[in-house]
């Protein structure tokens, strides 16, 4: 999956296998939609990994922009605390 990382200060980056391929939301959306259009039968999943100190509203805004761009298969990364 592609990983959309949102830092505590709101900066964001898109990573593919640990390699950064975009460093702002418009570039990330363009890269994601291009990748998903290449294989519409099995679109590449996108995992949002947000800093724990980031306001929930910031994550919702990013998810809204992804939805408006018709990005499929978006999920949230979770860390289990034991």
């Amino acid at each position: 999956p592609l990983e959309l990382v949102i830092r505590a200060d709101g900066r964001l980056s898109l990573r593919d296998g640990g390699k950064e391929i975009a460093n702002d939301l418009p570039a990330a959306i363009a890269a994601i939609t291009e990748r998903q259009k290449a294989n519409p039968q099995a679109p590449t999943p996108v995992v949002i990994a947000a800093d724990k100190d980031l306001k929930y509203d910031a994550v919702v805004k990013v998810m809204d922009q992804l939805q408006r761009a018709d990005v499929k298969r978006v999920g949230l990364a979770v860390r289990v605390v034991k």
Side-chain angles (χ1 to χ4, degrees):
L2 297 173
E3 182 182 35
L4 189 58
V5 179
I6 311 172
R7 294 174 186 80
D9 63 4
R11 289 182 304 128
L12 128 166
S13 63
L14 182 65
R15 296 181 185 164
D16 183 8
K19 178 183 175 190
E20 187 173 304
I21 58 175
N23 60 8
D24 62 29
L25 189 56
I29 289 173
I32 293 166
T33 55
E34 180 180 321
R35 181 80 55 96
Q36 289 191 345
K37 285 179 184 175
N39 190 1
Q41 302 303 329
T44 303
V46 179
V47 176
I48 298 174
D51 186 279
K52 66 178 180 64
D53 294 327
L54 188 68
K55 290 187 177 185
Y56 184 74
D57 184 57
V59 177
V60 171
K61 286 179 181 178
V62 169
M63 292 179 76
D64 180 59
Q65 291 299 312
L66 293 172
Q67 185 177 24
R68 289 173 189 265
D70 201 30
V71 172
K72 310 286 187 216
R73 298 187 66 193
V74 177
L76 296 172
V78 235
R79 290 196 181 132
V80 178
V81 179
K82 295 183 179 182

